[in-house]
Amino acid sequence: MNQPYLSVVIPVFNEEKNLDPLFARACATLDRLGKSWELIFVDDGSSDRSREILASLHQERPDHIRVVLLNRNYGQHMAIIAGFERVRGEVIVTLDADLQNPPEEIPKLVDSYGQGHDSIGGVRQNRQDSAFRRYASALINRLREMMTDIKMEDQGCMLRAYSRPVVQAIVSSNELHTFIPALAYRFASNPGEVSVAHSGRGAGTSKYSLLKLLRLNFDLITGFTLVPLHIFTCVGFLSCMMSLGLVGVLLFRRFIYPGASEVEGVFTLFAILFFLVSVVIAGVGLIGEYVGRIYQVVQQRPRYIVEKVLEKLS
Ligand code: UDP
Ligand code: MG
């Protein structure tokens, strides 16, 4: 199949128990769609039986199933980009392999593409995640809303569809740390959203540790806005003016109105100093986050290494 209408890209990291039911449900839905399709699984360096299972799924339906095996773990978003680099379809859908995104919802996204949208986000109804994850998402959603011009209701839902030009723009962005839904929004001319169902994880546990989650959200903020840096500049100027005022007051009390017990104020001054020093440390760290990302892009190393591709060339 040279030019299917639809390409579905699914990143896989240690999902051995979910792959068979996912395959069955996705194929049933896609066969019913009445359009030509391909499904690209990208294995993100799994260490369980996922790779063998994917190879057998490819053998079962070689005309439809393609498998990209990365040589190690590069993270969900990079795995999706490795799939994006190989898609042949006109419309591209992504979803998670853990059955949290029901494959039965794919036609809704494809319909929305048919109505002229070029980047379509799923909005999870009844999100089945821990309270911590839901609150953290709500917070990041608010921050993103305040700091960037990206408007979307549910940035974390990876059940999404994109037009081919949007996917091509994402691939050619050559970014190392990226957040695909936000990047797609930047390139889309007519973004849209549709409600989709959400389920609990099929089997296994989340592949996102707290640190990985934190890093991903830093990627979202640092990749799409300089507002955090502007805030630090403003805080810097403000504290500069306030400390100038403080110097004025102290000079006044020392030379013009002497005799007050300045010693009492020493601890207050220490407190202010500690606060300002910690602001400076946080600021340096923040600049480091930006500079580190710039450094890695400047190095121009390959973003990932594909070990093997299983596909039937026609
Ligand atoms: N995933 C991946 N590489 C990673 C982490 C996750 O390819 O380093 C895949 C994972 O197999 C799943 C999807 O990304 O298909 C979403 O991961 P997960 O369900 O663990 O994330 P959560 O639902 O907890 O946000
Ligand atoms: Mg999940």
Side-chain angles (χ1 to χ4, degrees):
M1 188 168 307
N2 269 333
Q3 289 274 280
Y5 175 73
L6 168 67
S7 296
V8 178
V9 174
I10 306 185
V12 175
F13 182 47
N14 293 337
E15 304 281 5
E16 57 182 2
K17 295 230 170 64
N18 296 317
L19 291 176
D20 282 319
L22 172 69
F23 171 77
R25 285 171 56 183
C27 288
T29 305
L30 295 169
D31 284 336
R32 269 201 307 271
L33 198 63
K35 305 261 193 202
S36 53
W37 58 273
E38 64 175 3
L39 199 171
I40 306 179
F41 285 106
V42 184
D43 181 82
D44 190 18
S46 296
S47 52
D48 65 356
R49 290 187 49 252
S50 295
R51 292 160 86 90
E52 290 138 69
I53 298 168
L54 290 177
S56 73
L57 297 183
H58 164 67
Q59 277 180 350
E60 211 169 303
R61 296 197 65 170
D63 288 329
H64 288 91
I65 307 292
R66 301 164 68 195
V67 180
V68 178
L69 301 167
L70 301 182
N71 70 332
R72 43 155 287 206
N73 182 248
Y74 293 92
Q76 177 186 12
H77 289 249
M78 203 44 76
I80 292 175
I81 288 190
F84 277 180
E85 229 159 341
R86 286 164 182 80
V87 293
R88 295 179 288 203
E90 177 184 328
V91 47
I92 293 93
V93 166
T94 59
L95 67 146
D96 290 348
D98 61 352
L99 300 171
Q100 288 203 273
N101 303 136
E104 291 76 19
E105 300 285 55
I106 295 174
K108 271 193 201 168
L109 297 169
V110 176
D111 279 353
S112 180
Y113 170 78
Q115 286 157 16
H117 293 293
D118 54 356
S119 169
I120 304 117
V123 180
R124 292 169 287 188
Q125 306 296 303
N126 279 322
R127 187 171 163 195
Q128 304 290 318
D129 273 319
S130 66
F132 169 71
R133 287 291 296 267
R134 281 183 282 119
Y135 288 129
S137 290
L139 177 73
I140 289 293
N141 252 310
R142 282 298 301 277
L143 281 179
R144 189 252 314 137
E145 235 164 61
M146 284 171 359
M147 293 189 185
T148 73
D149 55 0
I150 297 166
K151 307 255 170 298
M152 56 175 78
E153 210 173 303
D154 188 359
Q155 63 196 15
C157 179
M158 290 305 281
L159 179 53
R160 307 184 92 88
Y162 311 100
S163 70
R164 183 72 174 272
V166 167
V167 162
Q168 251 147 14
I170 292 174
V171 169
S172 58
S173 292
N174 252 337
E175 289 182 25
L176 266 164
H177 303 278
T178 201
F179 197 91
I180 292 171
L183 201 53
Y185 186 92
R186 274 288 154 84
F187 298 129
S189 42
N190 186 14
E193 285 186 311
V194 294
S195 302
V196 293
H198 194 244
S199 324
R201 206 170 214 289
T205 50
S206 172
K207 307 298 178 253
Y208 274 94
S209 61
L210 190 61
L211 190 68
K212 247 178 159 179
L213 211 58
L214 214 62
R215 242 190 249 146
L216 181 69
N217 286 302
F218 252 112
D219 290 341
L220 171 65
I221 300 297
T222 57
F224 295 92
T225 177
L226 296 178
V227 167
L229 294 178
H230 297 324
I231 292 175
F232 264 94
T233 315
C234 292
V235 169
F237 274 117
L238 213 69
S239 73
C240 186
M241 282 180 325
M242 277 169 20
S243 43
L244 201 66
L246 193 63
V247 168
V249 169
L250 291 179
L251 282 178
F252 175 80
R253 286 173 57 111
R254 173 133 198 165
F255 294 112
I256 300 175
Y257 181 62
S261 52
E262 242 68 57
V263 180
E264 278 172 22
V266 166
F267 291 103
T268 321
L269 274 182
F270 260 113
I272 295 172
L273 195 69
F274 282 150
F275 170 71
L276 290 179
V277 167
S278 58
V279 168
V280 169
I281 293 173
V284 171
L286 181 71
I287 295 169
E289 293 288 336
Y290 281 93
V291 174
R293 282 167 172 77
I294 297 167
Y295 178 54
Q296 284 183 321
V297 171
V298 169
Q299 283 173 324
Q300 295 214 323
R301 294 181 184 157
R303 293 191 289 177
Y304 52 83
I305 294 175
V306 174
E307 195 177 298
K308 207 167 169 189
V309 180
L310 309 175
E311 63 186 357
K312 189 175 147 192
L313 293 170
S314 50

